[in-house]
Structure formats: structure tokens, C-alpha cells
Amino acid sequence: MTDAGPRAVPGAGPGGAAGAPGWALLLSALLPGAGHLALGAVGRGVLLVVPWSALLGTLYWARARVFAWEHASLDDFVAAVTAAALLLVLWVGALRDLAGRHVRPEPAGGDSQWVIAARQFRRHRPALAGLALIVLLYIVALLAPWLAPFDPIAQHDIARTSYLSPSATHWLGTDKFGRDILSRIIFGARISLSIGFIATAISVTIGTLIGAVAGYFGGKVDAVLMRGTDLVLAFPRLVLLIMIVALFSPSIPVIILVLGLTQWPGTTRIVRGDVLSLREREYVQAARALGMSRTRIILRHLVPNVLAPVIVTATLGIGNTIVMEASLSFLGLGVQGPTPAWGSMVAEGRDNLLGAWWVATFPGLIIVAVVLAFYLGGDGLRDALDPRLRSA
Amino acid sequence: MMPPAGGPVRTDLPPAGGRAVDDTTAPPDALLEVRDLRKHFPVRRGLFARTVGAVRAVDGVSFWVERGRTLGLVGESGSGKTTTGRTLLRLIEPPAGRARFAGQDIFAMDRRQLRQLRRRAQIVFQDPYGSLDPRMTVGDMLREVLQVHRLAAGRAREARVRQLLDIVGLSPRHAERYPHEFSGGQRQRIGIARALSVQPEFIVCDEPVSALDVSVQAQVLNLLRDLQRELKLSYLFIAHDLGVVEHISHDIAVMYLGRIVELGRAAQVIGTPCHPYTRALLSSVPTPDPVQARARIVLSGDMPSPAQPPSGSPFHPRCPPPRKDADCVRLVPPLAERAPGHFAACIKEPAWR
Amino acid sequence: MTAPATGPGPLLEVRALRTWFHTDAGIARAVDGIDFQVQPGEIVGLVGESGSGKSVTALSIMQLVPRPPGELMAGSSIRFRGEELVGASGARLRALRGADIAMIFQEPMTSLNPVLQVGRQIGEVLRVHRGLAGKAVWRRTVELLELVGIPEPERRSDDYPHQLSGGQRQRVMIAMARAGEPELLIADEPTTALDVTIQAQILDLIAELRARLGMAVLLITHDLGVVAGVCDRVLVMYAGQIVEQGPGADVFREPHHPYTEGLLRAIPRLGHATERLAVIPGAVPSPLAWPPTCRFHPRCPYAWEACAAHAPGLIPLDGRSGASRCWLEPHPERRAGRGYGDVRSGAELP
């Protein structure tokens, strides 16, 4: 939409020529992070070595599936690309960091507000932990076909495999149909996370545009748009969702659309409020005085400046959407079996909560953990992006 | 021709002084000519936002700005000076009255003509913190203007950005920095560079130094003066500080409650002020001179609300005795000529001093 | 009043005051070793540009510096009527604030509670600090409003802050400050947010209160013109230090410190429409890294090698009272042939 994203990150410029000795670079080229460890930078070394080893370990462990070309599906292709990209990032990152360790070139430009916010965010430990969990989950979701020990859908000999309690083979046990809970959670992560992400992206885009247009133009435009927004907001959301999903058969695209199309009013209200105050700011007046078009003023001067609260609501919104999707699935209106989704897994476990507690408990816990992670991350973002907390 | 103050007064007396400013033709080289400019903001109340009155922010002002010269528009907050400047650039709409810029009627312009106007008439704002987009580098701000108006592209654009920064006394390496990395004075220079980027002939300077420290204020005032000479600019310089206005202006208009109460060459208005408000204002300017500072005319009360302006002379409720009388309450004094080119809106002030 | 007999000493005595702030980027030495006194009934002006440390000085005297990040460094001493305020108990300070030392701020709108009638706010001070109750509170409130020149005080005391004009709000603030009958009023930029004609009214009011009630005032402002009218003595601050002090009239007629001189010459004066204003080059340095010797020498038109080599103390002036933190005092010959020119460049960043 705009190009006001992060710019020149300090230190990410061309690495200095003089840096760590050649042998350390060579070490790091073989095993990213080894060079750091050899030079005594233990923290960074571990941060590089561990993910690298974990990735290689995964590849080794899942080698049979990784190289099963004849059955390769889109899932496998996605996993392969993800793994390759991650390895490349770690490898290049290690070398660049090592080469530039002693000579941090002065950044050419100044620090944008995004860079300052990132610096602030790094100090917020709970938010960092939340972010780490989110990143880990996304990687797990992308590598799902290699990581999941069993097929999440296939049912085998139900008589022998149903309701097995957690064991060395089935770490988190099996469900009524003898399917491995861990595998289903791993595959379920793709459904839940992508629904959360895509639905929120839709709602934020709609919400921001409507809010910005209403706030900037004001008057009748504002009145019409905001009354419409209030109307959507006034509907009990769950009832609305159930109604729509009941009308159209519940498939994943329908759920994403429905969730996305009912969540935007919150964003709209925030954006409209901010734009109302921003449009009186002198830099917006200056843009008008310089003969810039309304589209340009909205997209280039207003939207980037309301993005901070929008990002925060979006992060919190992903958590909400995941809960909402889980609720729908729990009610049987969400993702339909046998496709694994966390909400429907909890619903399935409900039948036999006392006999097989693990069926509902583990998906329930992961929902709590993910939503908490998004909330922590959102909190950290709010603090980092809040200009009032910044000494500039 | 003036009745003695306090004596019996006929209400149908012609206004004191010479011809009114509205009967005066602007000099041929006037770049901007404003006639009877009005801007009333409706006051809405109640559930259905009925219009119950109007704030008369600007209530019939007439003046002109000659080419290459500066008109200082001075007044306190609520006097309507900022509204005047912004209405003239059509940043506040809709206006009433007439305003001609280089012969063209500003208020009759369509979108295309307005875009043209905005290459010729620019504005510099007061708040050095609020007037720059916090998420854009200085270079990007200038590049955007050059791109939008197709003034320069490619290497020419980069060269122009460097040149603009140089003109206002900044260095090319400042182009890649963000507004929050600059001091107040530097931000004001950036705002000036942005206004200059379209090569305007006329700039509305809206309190450009009010938010700055004294030492920095002097830097920016000197810069504005140099630029005027080098680029043949005309300014409408809006400020509340008479000292600053006198320093930079060739002509001065004093505003009070949406009206101009005195207008003339700077030396006339400062040296031989005619309107009692101008005199009070002059005497209250804080001067670092203990002797002068103790001889002040202290006005009583506050400026009335522009939503309920007083009848007659807008200044009469605060006008120090003994001059004012019943006439001041009844008659709206015209801005009439007291000396060649020197106008004042006071019926008690004798003409041709 | 609970006050012990006011001795012959100064009302307020600030010694070696250093207020530092611990920030992410390092230690900001906002106030860095200042000494001054305020005598009973005296109006002292504390002048400086933004970043000079004048407002932090005021907060330090009131012991209102947020801690952390602020810290009053060891050795700092603030004595009020001989009583040490640094390290005094919270209860003692609360009893002093409002009753013996009052403070008014730049923006009267934000320093008044917007949802309480102004009369009630004044009454609160009277109840807490003067122990008044019932009808007496109301009578005294009206008296105070009358004293600060609010018309129709009986009616106005029922107004909310937003119903008053800026000047009237500042008058109410002064009435509140007066309610505790303090001996010292600290006024931090009391006129900056006001129009010049209203500014003149408020300055007159402050001067009048001093004359009638013998209240001492520490008037903090960036505007030399404001100080000139009302102050007996002037302290000029730059970069966390006092660089010049002396009787108001003398400082304005004959500034000794180059910074004071530059400030005075940078102000456009009515009736002296000079072609160009003097300009102090550059900008105030960062409080994280003051220049180690004379803090003004990088911007000073008179600076020579000595200025970069040794930090000057406050050197008493020859021939009149006052002092200047400048090596020009022992070397007046260095003034010859130099002074403020004019620079166009705003290039002050590294």
C-alpha cells in the first residue's frame, strides 16, 4: 500500500571488509555460529547453532518423507522451500554478523520510527517470548508434513489404536479414531494460524480504508460509513457468524471470509479517530497546500501514521480470530472433519473428557498458548509503537 | 471635523478620516489583493446540529501584498489572523469576499487552477513538530513534491533536493534523516525548503518563529529575509509578536476580533500608531529594557468571543478612557485613511495627524 | 503560620544543586551545579532557552523531580528558611508545598482540574493548608478571586476552568497559589501561553502581590523581555549552569556573558528595525555531553584557547554587583574587534 515500511536498518549495510579472522569465517561457513562460539560470543553462537542443528536434525529424522519425491504434494514443496530459506538465512546471517562484528558502518540515513520501535520492542521480554513462540509455530506449521510423526487424517485399526494415552509412540495420545493428537495439532496449526492471519489481514485492510476515508472526508461520507460500521458492530458477532456459516456450507475459505468481513469495525473506529485528529495536523495541511491529491494524502501521509495502533489491534485480532475459529469449530460450524482444527479437536474430546482427557486438553492448551503469545506480542508492540513512551 | 470627546454627538456624522480602504485601489504591482474577506464558522448545537450562530473568525478584511514585499499581519490569538492566511490559500473553505492573486480570482478557481496556484503560493507553518510527516525522511518529502508537480526527475531531482537543502542552510546528508532527529530551528528550515520546492512567488508565513527559542528565531528571521531578497518572494507574515513583525515587514496590518484595525507602512504603524489597540499592543510588547518595560498601557479584560462580537467598534469594551463614548458602541468604524497609505478604524482618532 | 521566626538569612538558598537524569542514552546532566539565593520579598528571574535546565531547577526546589529517572546528586542543598529540603520527609514536603512554597505553571488549563469548579479548587487549598471550614472558606475564596482581579468573583467561583479565558485561568492559578499564603512563589513560564496584552496584566498582578504581601517570587521564563519589567535580580542559565547573574537593570543594559549578549541582540526590538539580527551559531549542546570546559565556547564569538582548556567559574564583575562565568572577565581586552556576526547555516548535527 505504501512504502513507509522499515528502511535502512543500522548495521545491515554492507559489512565491513575487516572483521573476524578468516578461520572463524570458514568455521561459520561450515557450521553457522561456530565462528561466534570460537571467538567467545556464546549467546549469538548458541542462537545460531541450535536452530541450524534443529533444522538439520529434522531433515535427517524425516529423511524418508523429505526425499519421497513420488508422493510429493504442495505441502512437501512448501516445507522444502521453508527449510531451504531458513538454512540460507541462518548461514548468511552468521557470516555477515561475523564479518561486520568489529566494524559497524555508520548508517547512511537516520533511524526511522520503525527502527526506533524495533529497538524498544527488543527490551520487552514477554513480548519477545510471545514473538518467539509465534515464529516457532509458523515454522512448525510450514514444516508440518515433515515434523508430524503420523498422518493426521488416516484412520488405521480403530479397535487397537483409539484412545491410547500419551506414550513414547504417541506423545500426546490418540483420539477416538486412533489418530495421533500431536500430528493433528501440528497440522491444525496451519489451519488455525492461516485462518487467523488471512482473516485479520482482510479485516485490517477494509477497516483501515473505511476508517481513513470516513475520517478524512468527514461530513456526510463519514456519517454514512460510520452508521454502517455501527450496524455491523451492533450485530452479535457469533450469531451473525453462525447465520452466515449455516447459509453457506462451512469450508475454510468461507470461514476466512466471514471472519474477515465481520471484524473490521474495531479497526475502522480506531483509524477514523486518529485520522480525524491527524488531518488537522499541519503536515497534512502542508500536503494540501502543496497541491497533492486526496488519494495521495490518505495513502501516503495519513495511513502510515495510523499504522501503529492498527498493527497492535491486528496482532490482538489474530488471537481473537483464532479463538473465534475455535469456537465455530467447537460448535461444529467451523472446519469440518477429518481436517484437523484445534477447535473441533476440543469438541471431539468433549465426549470422553473423563476417559481420555488428553484428547481435548492438549488442543485446548495450545489455543491458550497461541492466543497468549499474540497478546504478549501485541502488548509489546503497543509499548514500542507508542510515541508517548519515547524520548526522541 | 471631530466632535470633542464627551460632547454631544450626532450619530449620522460621516466617519472621521479620509477615504476607506475599500474605496482605495490597490497599487498596480499588488500580487495579492484581498477585499472584504469573511470567514464565519457555524456554531451548531443540539441533537440535530442546528446552526444557532456563527463565529466570525474573519469579518471583512481588505489588504494587499505588493510584489517583493512583506505584509505583517499581527494580532492576538482569536484575532483571525491564521484563518485569514489559510482561507486565502483555500485550506479552509468556503470563504466569502474576494481575493485576487496576480489578477486571478482565488475563490473562483477550479481544481486545476488551484493546483497551479499552489505552485505559486505556499505556506510555512508554526509548529515545527507537527508540520513535518514523522514517517518520511526530509529527502522523501522534497522528492514527493518535485514528483507530484513533475518539476524534476532522476538526477535532476536529486540535485534539486540538495540545492533546496543548501538554500535553507542544511547539508545534503540531512536528506536521509527523519524529522525527529532535528532541532526546532532545523525543522523550520525544512518546512521552508518544502515551501520553496515549487518555486513560489508568495509565501504565507504562519507564525514561523513563535515556537522557537530566541537565538534560533533570529536565524530563521534572517534566513527568510535573505530568501526574500534572493528569490524575489512576497510574504504574508503572520505573528503575534510586534517586534518580530516590525523586523521583517514592510507593511503592517493589526487585527483585532476578525477585523483589521490599523494598516500602513511599518514605520507609520510602529512610529505613529493611530488606533488605541495598536498603542496598547506596542506598549505591552515585552522588551528587555527595564525603563521602557515599566511604562505600559495595561488593557483591562480579555478579547471578547468572536461568536458574540460587541456592537460598534470591536475594541470599545477594552478601550482605555477617556476617548471612547456612546458612538463607539453604536458605529462600526471604517478602516479610513489617516495619512497617505495609513489606515485606522477608530472614529475618535483625528485624521491627518 | 507554623513558620519559625524568619531569621535574617535568605528565604531560599540553593547550593551546588545537581539534578541528573538517567536515560537510555546516558546521564543527562540537566542541572549541573547551580548556586543562588532568594531574599524575602525579592523577585528573581531565572532565564534560559529550552534545555537550559531552568524548569528542572524549579521542580528540584519543589522536590517534584520524578525519581527515577531523575536524581539529586550528593552535595546538593536546598534550604528554605534554613531548613534543608533535600532528603526531607514526604509529609514535611507536602506541608511546605502550597502553604509556604507555591508553584504556578505555564499552561493553566492543564494545571486546573477540568471537572471541578474553580472556587472549590481554591477552597481545597484553604481547607488543607489554612485549616478553614464552612462559610469562611467561601468568603476567603471570593476575597482571593477579587485580589487577583477576577470580575464578579461570587459568580465566577462557580465556573469550571474551561469557562474562563486563558488569562483568567492563570489568575485563578495565582489565587490558588496565594491561598496558602506562601512566602515563595515559583512561577514557571506563567505568561508564555498568554497573549501580550494579557501577559502584561499577569506580570502586573505578580508585581502587585509582591508589593502588597511581601511574597518572594522566582520567575522562570525564556523571555528576557518578561524578566526585564518585574525582576530585581536576574540569573541567566545555559547548559545546566548559571552563566550570568546581577541586578536586572544592569544585566540588560550591559550584559557581560557572551551568551546573554547574544540573546539580547537576537531579539528584534521595536523601533530599532536593524537590517539583520545577531545570531548565536549552532544550537544548545546535548545534556548528555556538555562541552567539558566552558559550555558556551563552541558557539562563542570571543572564544580563544583558554576557553577550550579551562572551565571558568562564576567570576564577580569589576565595578558593579553581579558575576559572569566567562574568561572575558579577567581578560576584557579579548572583546576588542570581535562579536556576533551572522551565519546562515543550520547545520548543527554531526
Side-chain angles (χ1 to χ4, degrees), chain A residues 11-17 96 100 103 105:
Chain A
R96 265 179 97 150
V103 273

Side-chain angles (χ1 to χ4, degrees), chain A residues 7 109-114 116 281-283 285-286 288-292 294 296 300-301 304-305, chain B residues 86 91 111 115 118 122 125 127 130-131 133-136 140 144 147-149 176 178 180-181 194:
Chain A
R7 276 163 219 279
D111 291 349
S112 78
Q113 301 218 326
W114 299 111
I116 296 170
R281 289 277 284 276
E282 291 188 333
Y283 74 84
Q285 298 289 319
R288 288 181 60 203
L290 284 160
M292 291 181 194
R294 289 181 283 199
R296 175 176 278 274
R300 245 185 100 81
H301 296 282
N305 282 292
Chain B
R86 298 204 181 175
L91 293 175
R111 267 168 162 245
R115 233 175 102 89
R118 284 172 176 173
Q122 269 305 312
F125 293 93
D127 178 8
S131 57
D133 186 339
R135 302 220 180 257
M136 282 174 99
D140 284 349
E144 186 186 18
Q147 180 204 332
V148 164
H149 286 284
E176 301 318 314
Y178 288 87
H180 68 89
E181 297 173 273
R194 182 178 57 191

Side-chain angles (χ1 to χ4, degrees), chain B residues 76-77 169 213 226 296 299 302, chain C residues 50 165 195 197 201 204 346:
Chain B
E76 297 179 273
S77 48
D213 273 323
D226 290 343
R296 282 194 302 251
L299 290 176
D302 294 302
Chain C
S50 42
S165 70
D195 283 316
T197 55
Q201 296 173 0
D204 270 21

Side-chain angles (χ1 to χ4, degrees), chain A:
Chain A
M1 193 158 22
T2 70
D3 64 354
R7 276 163 219 279
V9 179
W23 58 267
L25 285 174
L26 191 67
L27 255 181
S28 262
L30 293 173
L31 172 60
H36 284 86
L37 287 176
L39 287 175
V42 180
R44 271 170 199 249
V46 169
L47 266 180
L48 287 163
V49 169
V50 170
W52 178 268
S53 318
L55 259 174
L56 287 185
T58 308
L59 287 178
Y60 178 76
W61 184 56
R63 64 193 178 282
R65 271 174 286 170
V66 173
F67 296 105
W69 300 114
E70 59 275 19
H71 313 296
S73 64
L74 185 65
D75 290 355
D76 295 298
F77 180 69
V78 169
V81 170
T82 312
L86 281 172
L87 288 173
L88 196 69
V89 164
L90 283 172
W91 193 71
V92 171
L95 285 182
R96 265 179 97 150
D97 190 57
L98 208 55
R101 253 173 79 71
H102 300 289
V103 273
R104 270 284 154 83
E106 181 83 353
D111 291 349
S112 78
Q113 301 218 326
W114 299 111
V115 174
I116 296 170
R119 213 179 294 144
Q120 208 83 18
F121 187 81
R122 282 215 296 261
R123 290 205 209 108
H124 200 298
R125 303 233 161 226
L128 274 186
L131 182 71
L133 182 61
I134 293 165
V135 169
L136 188 71
L137 268 169
Y138 270 99
I139 292 174
V140 166
L142 288 169
L143 296 180
W146 298 352
L147 286 175
F150 294 92
D151 188 312
I153 294 167
Q155 302 171 11
H156 303 286
D157 185 352
I158 298 181
R160 273 199 303 119
T161 54
S162 82
Y163 291 136
L164 292 177
S165 59
S167 68
T169 331
H170 298 284
W171 291 1
L172 304 181
T174 61
D175 66 5
K176 183 161 66 174
F177 302 106
R179 298 173 300 203
D180 183 49
I181 302 279
L182 177 63
S183 301
R184 284 181 69 75
I185 288 180
I186 289 174
F187 271 91
R190 329 175 96 194
I191 309 287
S192 294
L193 289 178
S194 40
I195 289 179
F197 192 82
I198 300 173
T200 307
I202 293 174
S203 78
V204 162
T205 311
I206 298 176
T208 308
L209 286 180
I210 295 184
V213 168
Y216 184 73
F217 288 98
K220 291 211 171 69
V221 178
D222 181 38
V224 169
L225 287 176
M226 289 324 284
R227 288 307 79 75
T229 308
D230 290 345
L231 216 64
V232 178
L233 207 57
F235 256 86
R237 182 146 173 241
L238 201 59
V239 176
L240 188 71
L241 288 175
I242 290 171
M243 214 172 71
I244 299 177
V245 174
L247 282 176
F248 307 92
S249 58
S251 68
I252 292 177
V254 167
I255 291 168
I256 289 178
L257 266 181
V258 165
L259 285 172
L261 291 179
T262 52
Q263 212 192 329
W264 52 268
T267 316
T268 302
R269 305 217 122 224
I270 295 172
V271 170
R272 172 184 174 266
D274 281 10
V275 167
L276 269 181
S277 72
L278 278 181
R279 85 174 171 183
E280 299 306 323
R281 289 277 284 276
E282 291 188 333
Y283 74 84
V284 177
Q285 298 289 319
R288 288 181 60 203
L290 284 160
M292 291 181 194
S293 69
R294 289 181 283 199
T295 323
R296 175 176 278 274
I297 291 175
I298 291 179
L299 291 185
R300 245 185 100 81
H301 296 282
L302 289 173
V303 169
N305 282 292
V306 296
L307 230 43
V310 168
I311 290 172
V312 174
T313 36
T315 318
L316 302 177
I318 295 180
N320 277 336
T321 312
I322 290 174
V323 172
M324 203 46 106
E325 180 269 325
S327 316
L328 280 182
S329 298
F330 183 84
L331 294 174
L333 292 166
V335 180
Q336 300 297 297
T339 314
W342 296 341
S344 47
M345 288 170 73
V346 175
E348 287 160 18
R350 183 183 48 171
D351 304 338
N352 196 356
L353 204 53
L354 295 177
W357 56 269
W358 55 88
V359 180
T361 308
F362 290 114
L365 281 179
I366 196 80
I367 293 174
V368 171
V370 169
V371 174
L372 194 66
F374 274 107
Y375 277 20
L376 289 178
D379 251 15
L381 275 179
R382 191 201 325 261
D383 292 354
L385 292 171
D386 189 345
R388 276 168 304 183
L389 299 174
R390 190 173 306 145
S391 49

Side-chain angles (χ1 to χ4, degrees), chain B residues 48-83:
Chain B
F48 300 101
R50 274 183 312 119
T51 306
V52 294
V55 174
R56 298 159 168 246
V58 180
D59 203 17
V61 304
S62 304
F63 59 85
W64 47 83
V65 181
E66 292 164 54
R67 270 178 219 277
R69 290 170 70 91
T70 302
L71 173 72
L73 195 56
V74 68
E76 297 179 273
S77 48
S79 62
K81 55 191 192 303
T82 292
T83 310

Side-chain angles (χ1 to χ4, degrees), chain C residues 7-8 33 92 111 214 221 248 256 287:
Chain C
R92 180 72 194 118
S111 5
T221 177
H256 270 247

